[in-house]
Amino acid sequence: MRRLAWWLIAAQFRTRRTATLLSLLAIALGVALGYAIHLINDAALADFARAMNTVQGDPDVVLAASDSAGSVPLGVLDELARDPAVEVVAAVIDTRVRVDGTATPLRLLGIDAFSAAAVMPRLLPRPADDSPAGGILGGRVYASPALLEQLGLRAGDALTLRRGDRHWPTVVGGELPGTGAGDRLLVADIAWVQAHFGPNGAVSEGRIRLTPETDPARWQADHRPRLPVGLLLRAADDEGRRVANLSRAYRVNLNVLALVALLTGAFLVFATQLTAVAQRSTQFALLGVLGLAPRMRLLQVLLEALAIGLPGALLGLGIGYALALAFTQILGGDLGGGFFSTSSPLLVPRAAPALGFLGLGCAASLGGALYPAWLNRRQPLAQALKTGFAQNPGAHGHRFWRLPLLFALLVPAAFGLTRLPAISGLPLAGYAAIAVVLIVGVAAAPWLTRTVFGLLSRRSLSPPLQVAVQNVAQAPLMAQVAASGLIVSFALTASMVIMVASFRSAVDQWLDHVLPAPLYLRSKGTPLPQALLDAVDRADAPFARVERTAHGSLTLDAQRPALALIVREIDRRDPGTRLPFTGPLFDAAPGEVVIWISEAVEEIYRLRPGERRRLPLLGGDIEVFVGGVWRDYARQFGAVVIAREDYTRLGGDFAPTDLALWPRSGDEAEALRWLAPFTAAQGLEVSTNGELRALSLSIFDRSFAVTHALEAAAMLIGLFGLAVTLAASVWLRARELATLGALGFDRRMLGRAVMLEGLLIAAIGLLIGLACGLAIGAILTQVVNPQAFHWRMPLDVPVLALLAGVALTLAAALLASRHAARQATRLPLAQVLASAQ
Amino acid sequence: MLSVVDLSKRYAGASRALFSGLGLAVAAGEIVALIGESGVGKSTLLNCIAGLETADRGSICIGPRATDVVRLDEAARAALRAQHIGFVFQAFHVLPTLSVEQNVAVPLLLSRVPRSEHARRIGTLLERVGLGGFERRWPASLSGGELQRVAIARALVHRPALILADEPTGNLDPRTAGEILDLLLERTRDQGAGALIVTHSQHVAERCDRTLLLTAEGLR
Ligand SMILES: Nc1ncnc2c1ncn2[C@@H]1O[C@H](COP(=O)(O)OP(=O)(O)OP(=O)(O)O)[C@@H](O)[C@H]1O
Ligand SMILES: [Mg+2]
């Protein structure tokens, strides 16, 4: 029995090489994309977690300020250290400094060698041989090997650390052997760091190790209410969760794309196996007559699918690994998403996920073969032997009345699904709505073909057209298979194009609004030097206007990524000139602190415009008024803007990091020349708004590059499905076509009939696909993107691009139909007529 | 080998039963011809016997242990065919994607004859139907007469108790038809199997042991 199954599989591979190979490749593509995305993310997350572990060590609880401007007073730490449940408290100052000659700021950690040995052993330096006798760390800095190499320094070399206007000339004392290959860190004694860069009498964090018998969760719960305002306790592993949360939605979106590729693979298996079953209906009937068990007729088709799926999935794992390697080399670990800025991570495949993706590939293939297998099992033997494949075994009469009922249920269901909120931060209902739209589209195909072509066939048409129309109208199953491939692939492609176009034009407009100044100067994290700030204010500076901004962060929920806190010189009464508000603005009372929140903050933290809320700001519990909601495509996890005057009134220290500059008389060249001495010395970055805009759009385009590859793959698969089914239907109707030939159709007319048939089916498929694509595009822009990323955007349909897509697909469909038509003209008519089969 | 008792069959939607209360028997080694007008139900009767159509009433007992086909489920009927029935069709029905040798091997695989016996049985049988040396050929390269020889070898290779043939020579020229019929009768007698052969040819009917005429009223 096994031998027979194997013979049939081998025969199938031999006689339908192209179709089988392409289904196999489609499965491989789906698995490869999914697996590559998994590998890259896994590696990036592991790498990120490892780097974080180096810096954070292994505490039970971390005490930190909820606001980047805040700090933890030493008094609070001392008090905690007296708690008998606390074993060690390691104080840390975590700050950013510049080293002459580097463009980006470096992370400097101030630690206490004794407590760090217990909690953060990887941060302990190995001093060079000539280290000074006084103190363990002394007044020197220690750097990770990667950083030393980047700076071209060795132990004993002198260097100057700068932060704003403060600086610390010191010496490299040695390296940090515990750090990883990609880590770029500086470590020094906490007292020295404090003395040079602050904060006075406080530190950034206290990392707490509890005694073994203490339950960290209970201890946190006990201490949280007693904490001074502006401080928060968090479990050490919250940090890991924050990192995972960071890229989760993006990851899920990519995985859904991979799933789409896998689905199209399943569709190809469906088309191949259905035509394979139809072509071999007499063979299977014969085997049944010879005594093949009915169960085996089902199993054989599934086995054949597995023979496609298993090698396909294996190949996919290989390709996926190669893709992941290539991608991490080119784009880094974030797939262009911009979430992690680690060096290209190491890829280590593990058994369980590899097996999972292998299973997924096989499941897709088996899923695609399920209906053909069932149909094969149901073929009435005696009849199949006599007249061949039965499309609708056992059915009496048409069941088209069920269709309107189906639509009446499904269309409102899709609408309902788009109204549901995200489920644990993921737009699952939105994805389900997309699936429903596709189902409705595919189910509508036979009804539409029958209606349209039924009507057409009543007109008097040229003979080939008449035959083509008749065929499409009468063989809805084949037409449906051919059309459904196009419907699904064109719908997905069109929706993707619509979504990306809508998003891009929204980003374009948004950039206009958020980049009002001709010139921008940015320091990427460290405060700007006072000399520069003073200089731009002087009357001889070539600027008509200067606006300063300081960037900080604010943690409202320890398990979520921190919000961006943006302190700006902005007109409290008219913030609309600087921020792209999405709704009405609310006026605050004169003495009140106003904030303007991004859409993400409104959605994640449920803040409403016009309401008053208490927020942990500047070490206090401050009541703020939400003045409005603005659109922000740059910070997916939320941003809060506060006016400089409010911030300083609360006691905040305004230390600008960015400048927006309006050069006098529009002369940018003069302004650039004037800025040059400052930027060269401080490693600051000056860009025109045009450059920033081009940069943003190029990042945007890069992060959607993957989708274009998928669109192309989907369209190829859809077209291939059309070609396979058309060719198969020619084969299935060989006798009918031969009879037409005998009745006086010449070969050219036969070919024309088949080609017209292909085009008619393609036209129907494209029509429905376009309609579904519009619906899915709307769901993606209005439901999926807002729920997954808190990105809202108006729907913007790129009519020209879509029409070009339709034309291109029709042209490709023409080619696919020609292939089938050529087969029709090559039919050995006499032989077909002579043979019974 | 075969006994049909009180068999009735009516297609769903048909105005009247094709046959009712039909009975017939074929003994081991006996070859029976079944003739009758077109559309009278000969193929249907054959299909009922093979379990490809379900009879409405009656019993059809086949094989050494007289298993009743009517009472079996679909899977058991398939198993019974694999074990005890050999089929020959007017339209040959040779699997185009399997070689001659593989085509003949299919019943052996389905009836679980030990693998070690396959080569010998296939070799001798192909020799006997005049296809020695055709083992590796593909069906597409064979003539109609040769295809029907393959089909006969396939019908006999698992030594079934009953051969059912539906117009086995209908698609062949008179000379080849004669040769094929000789072959079918000889080989069936060799193996001591019973046979029921549907035919329109008086010539074929004369060469069988007995002839049954199926009419709308019943068997005569
Ligand atoms: N699946 C079916 N459903 C309904 N009626 C059928 C079916 N198969 C056959 N019939 C009818 O049953 C009758 C007998 O058909 P059958 O094929 O048994 O005739 P036959 O005696 O073999 O004819 P021929 O000599 O032409 O082959 C015919 O009238 C046919 O229309
Ligand atoms: Mg007949």
Side-chain angles (χ1 to χ4, degrees), chain B residues 85-112:
Chain B
I85 297 180
F87 237 115
V88 183
F89 305 91
Q90 177 178 6
F92 321 138
H93 289 314
V94 172
L95 294 170
T97 53
L98 299 189
S99 67
V100 165
E101 187 182 36
Q102 287 176 328
N103 262 288
V104 179
V106 169
L108 296 177
L109 294 170
L110 290 174
S111 60
R112 295 172 205 278

PDB file of all heavy atoms in Angstrom, chain B residues 85-112:
ATOM      1  N   ILE B  85     -12.158  -9.869  -6.824  1.00  0.00           N
ATOM      2  CA  ILE B  85     -12.738  -9.502  -8.117  1.00  0.00           C
ATOM      3  C   ILE B  85     -11.673  -8.958  -9.056  1.00  0.00           C
ATOM      4  O   ILE B  85     -10.789  -8.201  -8.648  1.00  0.00           O
ATOM      5  CB  ILE B  85     -13.870  -8.450  -7.933  1.00  0.00           C
ATOM      6  CG1 ILE B  85     -15.007  -9.066  -7.113  1.00  0.00           C
ATOM      7  CG2 ILE B  85     -14.388  -7.967  -9.289  1.00  0.00           C
ATOM      8  CD1 ILE B  85     -16.161  -8.143  -6.875  1.00  0.00           C
ATOM      9  N   GLY B  86     -11.767  -9.355 -10.311  1.00  0.00           N
ATOM     10  CA  GLY B  86     -10.932  -8.756 -11.351  1.00  0.00           C
ATOM     11  C   GLY B  86     -11.852  -8.067 -12.355  1.00  0.00           C
ATOM     12  O   GLY B  86     -12.905  -8.601 -12.703  1.00  0.00           O
ATOM     13  N   PHE B  87     -11.480  -6.831 -12.788  1.00  0.00           N
ATOM     14  CA  PHE B  87     -12.367  -6.047 -13.645  1.00  0.00           C
ATOM     15  C   PHE B  87     -11.687  -5.793 -14.992  1.00  0.00           C
ATOM     16  O   PHE B  87     -10.498  -5.465 -15.035  1.00  0.00           O
ATOM     17  CB  PHE B  87     -12.633  -4.684 -12.989  1.00  0.00           C
ATOM     18  CG  PHE B  87     -14.083  -4.405 -12.779  1.00  0.00           C
ATOM     19  CD1 PHE B  87     -14.626  -4.276 -11.510  1.00  0.00           C
ATOM     20  CD2 PHE B  87     -14.933  -4.258 -13.884  1.00  0.00           C
ATOM     21  CE1 PHE B  87     -15.968  -4.010 -11.316  1.00  0.00           C
ATOM     22  CE2 PHE B  87     -16.272  -3.996 -13.687  1.00  0.00           C
ATOM     23  CZ  PHE B  87     -16.794  -3.879 -12.411  1.00  0.00           C
ATOM     24  N   VAL B  88     -12.442  -5.946 -16.085  1.00  0.00           N
ATOM     25  CA  VAL B  88     -11.929  -5.552 -17.403  1.00  0.00           C
ATOM     26  C   VAL B  88     -12.968  -4.642 -18.055  1.00  0.00           C
ATOM     27  O   VAL B  88     -14.170  -4.944 -18.012  1.00  0.00           O
ATOM     28  CB  VAL B  88     -11.680  -6.777 -18.320  1.00  0.00           C
ATOM     29  CG1 VAL B  88     -11.066  -6.319 -19.651  1.00  0.00           C
ATOM     30  CG2 VAL B  88     -10.766  -7.776 -17.642  1.00  0.00           C
ATOM     31  N   PHE B  89     -12.494  -3.506 -18.613  1.00  0.00           N
ATOM     32  CA  PHE B  89     -13.438  -2.530 -19.163  1.00  0.00           C
ATOM     33  C   PHE B  89     -13.316  -2.420 -20.674  1.00  0.00           C
ATOM     34  O   PHE B  89     -12.267  -2.713 -21.252  1.00  0.00           O
ATOM     35  CB  PHE B  89     -13.172  -1.140 -18.590  1.00  0.00           C
ATOM     36  CG  PHE B  89     -13.182  -1.098 -17.105  1.00  0.00           C
ATOM     37  CD1 PHE B  89     -12.019  -1.296 -16.385  1.00  0.00           C
ATOM     38  CD2 PHE B  89     -14.360  -0.865 -16.418  1.00  0.00           C
ATOM     39  CE1 PHE B  89     -12.013  -1.255 -15.014  1.00  0.00           C
ATOM     40  CE2 PHE B  89     -14.355  -0.825 -15.046  1.00  0.00           C
ATOM     41  CZ  PHE B  89     -13.189  -1.017 -14.331  1.00  0.00           C
ATOM     42  N   GLN B  90     -14.367  -1.904 -21.285  1.00  0.00           N
ATOM     43  CA  GLN B  90     -14.327  -1.602 -22.708  1.00  0.00           C
ATOM     44  C   GLN B  90     -13.230  -0.575 -23.007  1.00  0.00           C
ATOM     45  O   GLN B  90     -12.508  -0.665 -23.988  1.00  0.00           O
ATOM     46  CB  GLN B  90     -15.686  -1.043 -23.117  1.00  0.00           C
ATOM     47  CG  GLN B  90     -15.759  -0.627 -24.561  1.00  0.00           C
ATOM     48  CD  GLN B  90     -17.150  -0.124 -24.913  1.00  0.00           C
ATOM     49  OE1 GLN B  90     -18.011   0.012 -24.048  1.00  0.00           O
ATOM     50  NE2 GLN B  90     -17.365   0.126 -26.181  1.00  0.00           N
ATOM     51  N   ALA B  91     -13.092   0.430 -22.107  1.00  0.00           N
ATOM     52  CA  ALA B  91     -12.157   1.538 -22.359  1.00  0.00           C
ATOM     53  C   ALA B  91     -10.781   1.292 -21.737  1.00  0.00           C
ATOM     54  O   ALA B  91     -10.066   2.238 -21.454  1.00  0.00           O
ATOM     55  CB  ALA B  91     -12.743   2.842 -21.847  1.00  0.00           C
ATOM     56  N   PHE B  92     -10.420   0.059 -21.509  1.00  0.00           N
ATOM     57  CA  PHE B  92      -9.101  -0.369 -20.988  1.00  0.00           C
ATOM     58  C   PHE B  92      -8.813   0.149 -19.582  1.00  0.00           C
ATOM     59  O   PHE B  92      -8.523  -0.633 -18.687  1.00  0.00           O
ATOM     60  CB  PHE B  92      -7.948   0.058 -21.912  1.00  0.00           C
ATOM     61  CG  PHE B  92      -8.233  -0.051 -23.388  1.00  0.00           C
ATOM     62  CD1 PHE B  92      -7.845   0.933 -24.284  1.00  0.00           C
ATOM     63  CD2 PHE B  92      -8.925  -1.164 -23.888  1.00  0.00           C
ATOM     64  CE1 PHE B  92      -8.115   0.814 -25.633  1.00  0.00           C
ATOM     65  CE2 PHE B  92      -9.202  -1.289 -25.240  1.00  0.00           C
ATOM     66  CZ  PHE B  92      -8.796  -0.290 -26.116  1.00  0.00           C
ATOM     67  N   HIS B  93      -8.822   1.499 -19.409  1.00  0.00           N
ATOM     68  CA  HIS B  93      -8.504   2.094 -18.104  1.00  0.00           C
ATOM     69  C   HIS B  93      -7.210   1.574 -17.519  1.00  0.00           C
ATOM     70  O   HIS B  93      -7.180   0.943 -16.482  1.00  0.00           O
ATOM     71  CB  HIS B  93      -9.647   1.872 -17.115  1.00  0.00           C
ATOM     72  CG  HIS B  93     -10.849   2.697 -17.437  1.00  0.00           C
ATOM     73  ND1 HIS B  93     -10.777   4.025 -17.744  1.00  0.00           N
ATOM     74  CD2 HIS B  93     -12.159   2.365 -17.530  1.00  0.00           C
ATOM     75  CE1 HIS B  93     -11.978   4.485 -17.998  1.00  0.00           C
ATOM     76  NE2 HIS B  93     -12.839   3.503 -17.887  1.00  0.00           N
ATOM     77  N   VAL B  94      -6.132   1.870 -18.212  1.00  0.00           N
ATOM     78  CA  VAL B  94      -4.804   1.575 -17.679  1.00  0.00           C
ATOM     79  C   VAL B  94      -4.248   2.894 -17.127  1.00  0.00           C
ATOM     80  O   VAL B  94      -4.410   3.938 -17.758  1.00  0.00           O
ATOM     81  CB  VAL B  94      -3.898   1.019 -18.794  1.00  0.00           C
ATOM     82  CG1 VAL B  94      -2.467   0.892 -18.310  1.00  0.00           C
ATOM     83  CG2 VAL B  94      -4.432  -0.329 -19.253  1.00  0.00           C
ATOM     84  N   LEU B  95      -3.647   2.853 -15.942  1.00  0.00           N
ATOM     85  CA  LEU B  95      -3.166   4.102 -15.344  1.00  0.00           C
ATOM     86  C   LEU B  95      -2.007   4.671 -16.174  1.00  0.00           C
ATOM     87  O   LEU B  95      -0.967   4.016 -16.301  1.00  0.00           O
ATOM     88  CB  LEU B  95      -2.690   3.858 -13.906  1.00  0.00           C
ATOM     89  CG  LEU B  95      -3.794   3.446 -12.945  1.00  0.00           C
ATOM     90  CD1 LEU B  95      -3.210   2.993 -11.613  1.00  0.00           C
ATOM     91  CD2 LEU B  95      -4.777   4.580 -12.737  1.00  0.00           C
ATOM     92  N   PRO B  96      -2.174   5.856 -16.741  1.00  0.00           N
ATOM     93  CA  PRO B  96      -1.178   6.362 -17.693  1.00  0.00           C
ATOM     94  C   PRO B  96       0.143   6.741 -17.035  1.00  0.00           C
ATOM     95  O   PRO B  96       1.166   6.804 -17.705  1.00  0.00           O
ATOM     96  CB  PRO B  96      -1.851   7.598 -18.298  1.00  0.00           C
ATOM     97  CG  PRO B  96      -2.831   8.033 -17.265  1.00  0.00           C
ATOM     98  CD  PRO B  96      -3.288   6.802 -16.565  1.00  0.00           C
ATOM     99  N   THR B  97       0.115   6.984 -15.720  1.00  0.00           N
ATOM    100  CA  THR B  97       1.351   7.454 -15.082  1.00  0.00           C
ATOM    101  C   THR B  97       2.168   6.312 -14.486  1.00  0.00           C
ATOM    102  O   THR B  97       3.219   6.547 -13.915  1.00  0.00           O
ATOM    103  CB  THR B  97       1.034   8.460 -13.963  1.00  0.00           C
ATOM    104  OG1 THR B  97       0.084   7.861 -13.087  1.00  0.00           O
ATOM    105  CG2 THR B  97       0.464   9.750 -14.536  1.00  0.00           C
ATOM    106  N   LEU B  98       1.648   5.072 -14.583  1.00  0.00           N
ATOM    107  CA  LEU B  98       2.419   3.939 -14.078  1.00  0.00           C
ATOM    108  C   LEU B  98       2.866   3.084 -15.264  1.00  0.00           C
ATOM    109  O   LEU B  98       2.181   3.013 -16.287  1.00  0.00           O
ATOM    110  CB  LEU B  98       1.558   3.082 -13.137  1.00  0.00           C
ATOM    111  CG  LEU B  98       1.020   3.754 -11.876  1.00  0.00           C
ATOM    112  CD1 LEU B  98       0.382   2.715 -10.961  1.00  0.00           C
ATOM    113  CD2 LEU B  98       2.113   4.491 -11.134  1.00  0.00           C
ATOM    114  N   SER B  99       4.022   2.435 -15.112  1.00  0.00           N
ATOM    115  CA  SER B  99       4.519   1.577 -16.183  1.00  0.00           C
ATOM    116  C   SER B  99       3.639   0.324 -16.271  1.00  0.00           C
ATOM    117  O   SER B  99       2.818   0.061 -15.397  1.00  0.00           O
ATOM    118  CB  SER B  99       5.964   1.190 -15.917  1.00  0.00           C
ATOM    119  OG  SER B  99       6.014   0.355 -14.773  1.00  0.00           O
ATOM    120  N   VAL B 100       3.813  -0.454 -17.330  1.00  0.00           N
ATOM    121  CA  VAL B 100       3.034  -1.678 -17.520  1.00  0.00           C
ATOM    122  C   VAL B 100       3.156  -2.577 -16.296  1.00  0.00           C
ATOM    123  O   VAL B 100       2.171  -3.049 -15.724  1.00  0.00           O
ATOM    124  CB  VAL B 100       3.537  -2.398 -18.790  1.00  0.00           C
ATOM    125  CG1 VAL B 100       3.024  -3.829 -18.832  1.00  0.00           C
ATOM    126  CG2 VAL B 100       3.113  -1.626 -20.032  1.00  0.00           C
ATOM    127  N   GLU B 101       4.407  -2.756 -15.865  1.00  0.00           N
ATOM    128  CA  GLU B 101       4.673  -3.613 -14.717  1.00  0.00           C
ATOM    129  C   GLU B 101       3.958  -3.102 -13.468  1.00  0.00           C
ATOM    130  O   GLU B 101       3.333  -3.854 -12.725  1.00  0.00           O
ATOM    131  CB  GLU B 101       6.184  -3.585 -14.521  1.00  0.00           C
ATOM    132  CG  GLU B 101       6.739  -4.504 -13.514  1.00  0.00           C
ATOM    133  CD  GLU B 101       8.251  -4.271 -13.442  1.00  0.00           C
ATOM    134  OE1 GLU B 101       8.676  -3.085 -13.586  1.00  0.00           O
ATOM    135  OE2 GLU B 101       8.979  -5.234 -13.279  1.00  0.00           O
ATOM    136  N   GLN B 102       4.032  -1.781 -13.257  1.00  0.00           N
ATOM    137  CA  GLN B 102       3.406  -1.186 -12.073  1.00  0.00           C
ATOM    138  C   GLN B 102       1.892  -1.309 -12.135  1.00  0.00           C
ATOM    139  O   GLN B 102       1.237  -1.583 -11.130  1.00  0.00           O
ATOM    140  CB  GLN B 102       3.808   0.284 -11.951  1.00  0.00           C
ATOM    141  CG  GLN B 102       5.252   0.477 -11.518  1.00  0.00           C
ATOM    142  CD  GLN B 102       5.670   1.937 -11.499  1.00  0.00           C
ATOM    143  OE1 GLN B 102       5.176   2.737 -12.304  1.00  0.00           O
ATOM    144  NE2 GLN B 102       6.560   2.283 -10.606  1.00  0.00           N
ATOM    145  N   ASN B 103       1.334  -1.125 -13.333  1.00  0.00           N
ATOM    146  CA  ASN B 103      -0.111  -1.281 -13.489  1.00  0.00           C
ATOM    147  C   ASN B 103      -0.566  -2.668 -13.057  1.00  0.00           C
ATOM    148  O   ASN B 103      -1.548  -2.810 -12.336  1.00  0.00           O
ATOM    149  CB  ASN B 103      -0.506  -1.038 -14.951  1.00  0.00           C
ATOM    150  CG  ASN B 103      -1.023   0.372 -15.164  1.00  0.00           C
ATOM    151  OD1 ASN B 103      -2.112   0.701 -14.734  1.00  0.00           O
ATOM    152  ND2 ASN B 103      -0.218   1.201 -15.804  1.00  0.00           N
ATOM    153  N   VAL B 104       0.172  -3.658 -13.481  1.00  0.00           N
ATOM    154  CA  VAL B 104      -0.208  -5.032 -13.149  1.00  0.00           C
ATOM    155  C   VAL B 104       0.011  -5.303 -11.658  1.00  0.00           C
ATOM    156  O   VAL B 104      -0.681  -6.112 -11.050  1.00  0.00           O
ATOM    157  CB  VAL B 104       0.576  -6.033 -14.033  1.00  0.00           C
ATOM    158  CG1 VAL B 104       0.214  -7.467 -13.670  1.00  0.00           C
ATOM    159  CG2 VAL B 104       0.290  -5.775 -15.498  1.00  0.00           C
ATOM    160  N   ALA B 105       0.963  -4.574 -11.058  1.00  0.00           N
ATOM    161  CA  ALA B 105       1.278  -4.817  -9.650  1.00  0.00           C
ATOM    162  C   ALA B 105       0.221  -4.255  -8.700  1.00  0.00           C
ATOM    163  O   ALA B 105       0.131  -4.675  -7.552  1.00  0.00           O
ATOM    164  CB  ALA B 105       2.637  -4.212  -9.311  1.00  0.00           C
ATOM    165  N   VAL B 106      -0.601  -3.284  -9.199  1.00  0.00           N
ATOM    166  CA  VAL B 106      -1.529  -2.600  -8.281  1.00  0.00           C
ATOM    167  C   VAL B 106      -2.422  -3.569  -7.498  1.00  0.00           C
ATOM    168  O   VAL B 106      -2.502  -3.488  -6.264  1.00  0.00           O
ATOM    169  CB  VAL B 106      -2.363  -1.540  -9.046  1.00  0.00           C
ATOM    170  CG1 VAL B 106      -3.497  -1.026  -8.189  1.00  0.00           C
ATOM    171  CG2 VAL B 106      -1.472  -0.390  -9.484  1.00  0.00           C
ATOM    172  N   PRO B 107      -3.092  -4.557  -8.137  1.00  0.00           N
ATOM    173  CA  PRO B 107      -3.936  -5.469  -7.348  1.00  0.00           C
ATOM    174  C   PRO B 107      -3.146  -6.282  -6.324  1.00  0.00           C
ATOM    175  O   PRO B 107      -3.665  -6.592  -5.255  1.00  0.00           O
ATOM    176  CB  PRO B 107      -4.547  -6.383  -8.408  1.00  0.00           C
ATOM    177  CG  PRO B 107      -4.445  -5.628  -9.684  1.00  0.00           C
ATOM    178  CD  PRO B 107      -3.198  -4.814  -9.583  1.00  0.00           C
ATOM    179  N   LEU B 108      -1.891  -6.598  -6.656  1.00  0.00           N
ATOM    180  CA  LEU B 108      -1.065  -7.339  -5.700  1.00  0.00           C
ATOM    181  C   LEU B 108      -0.816  -6.498  -4.455  1.00  0.00           C
ATOM    182  O   LEU B 108      -0.863  -6.994  -3.333  1.00  0.00           O
ATOM    183  CB  LEU B 108       0.275  -7.728  -6.335  1.00  0.00           C
ATOM    184  CG  LEU B 108       0.192  -8.686  -7.525  1.00  0.00           C
ATOM    185  CD1 LEU B 108       1.572  -8.924  -8.104  1.00  0.00           C
ATOM    186  CD2 LEU B 108      -0.425 -10.005  -7.084  1.00  0.00           C
ATOM    187  N   LEU B 109      -0.579  -5.198  -4.684  1.00  0.00           N
ATOM    188  CA  LEU B 109      -0.334  -4.311  -3.548  1.00  0.00           C
ATOM    189  C   LEU B 109      -1.601  -4.162  -2.721  1.00  0.00           C
ATOM    190  O   LEU B 109      -1.561  -4.109  -1.500  1.00  0.00           O
ATOM    191  CB  LEU B 109       0.130  -2.941  -4.050  1.00  0.00           C
ATOM    192  CG  LEU B 109       1.492  -2.922  -4.742  1.00  0.00           C
ATOM    193  CD1 LEU B 109       1.745  -1.591  -5.418  1.00  0.00           C
ATOM    194  CD2 LEU B 109       2.587  -3.211  -3.724  1.00  0.00           C
ATOM    195  N   LEU B 110      -2.746  -4.083  -3.416  1.00  0.00           N
ATOM    196  CA  LEU B 110      -4.001  -3.839  -2.701  1.00  0.00           C
ATOM    197  C   LEU B 110      -4.471  -5.089  -1.953  1.00  0.00           C
ATOM    198  O   LEU B 110      -5.162  -4.991  -0.944  1.00  0.00           O
ATOM    199  CB  LEU B 110      -5.085  -3.374  -3.672  1.00  0.00           C
ATOM    200  CG  LEU B 110      -4.876  -1.971  -4.239  1.00  0.00           C
ATOM    201  CD1 LEU B 110      -5.904  -1.667  -5.299  1.00  0.00           C
ATOM    202  CD2 LEU B 110      -4.945  -0.942  -3.119  1.00  0.00           C
ATOM    203  N   SER B 111      -4.115  -6.281  -2.448  1.00  0.00           N
ATOM    204  CA  SER B 111      -4.583  -7.490  -1.752  1.00  0.00           C
ATOM    205  C   SER B 111      -3.501  -8.073  -0.871  1.00  0.00           C
ATOM    206  O   SER B 111      -3.639  -9.164  -0.360  1.00  0.00           O
ATOM    207  CB  SER B 111      -5.059  -8.528  -2.781  1.00  0.00           C
ATOM    208  OG  SER B 111      -3.980  -8.873  -3.639  1.00  0.00           O
ATOM    209  N   ARG B 112      -2.423  -7.343  -0.698  1.00  0.00           N
ATOM    210  CA  ARG B 112      -1.354  -7.711   0.235  1.00  0.00           C
ATOM    211  C   ARG B 112      -0.754  -9.076  -0.054  1.00  0.00           C
ATOM    212  O   ARG B 112      -0.559  -9.892   0.840  1.00  0.00           O
ATOM    213  CB  ARG B 112      -1.847  -7.654   1.679  1.00  0.00           C
ATOM    214  CG  ARG B 112      -2.202  -6.249   2.089  1.00  0.00           C
ATOM    215  CD  ARG B 112      -2.869  -6.238   3.444  1.00  0.00           C
ATOM    216  NE  ARG B 112      -3.706  -5.038   3.572  1.00  0.00           N
ATOM    217  CZ  ARG B 112      -3.238  -3.855   3.914  1.00  0.00           C
ATOM    218  NH1 ARG B 112      -1.959  -3.701   4.164  1.00  0.00           N
ATOM    219  NH2 ARG B 112      -4.049  -2.824   4.016  1.00  0.00           N
TER     220      ARG B 112
END
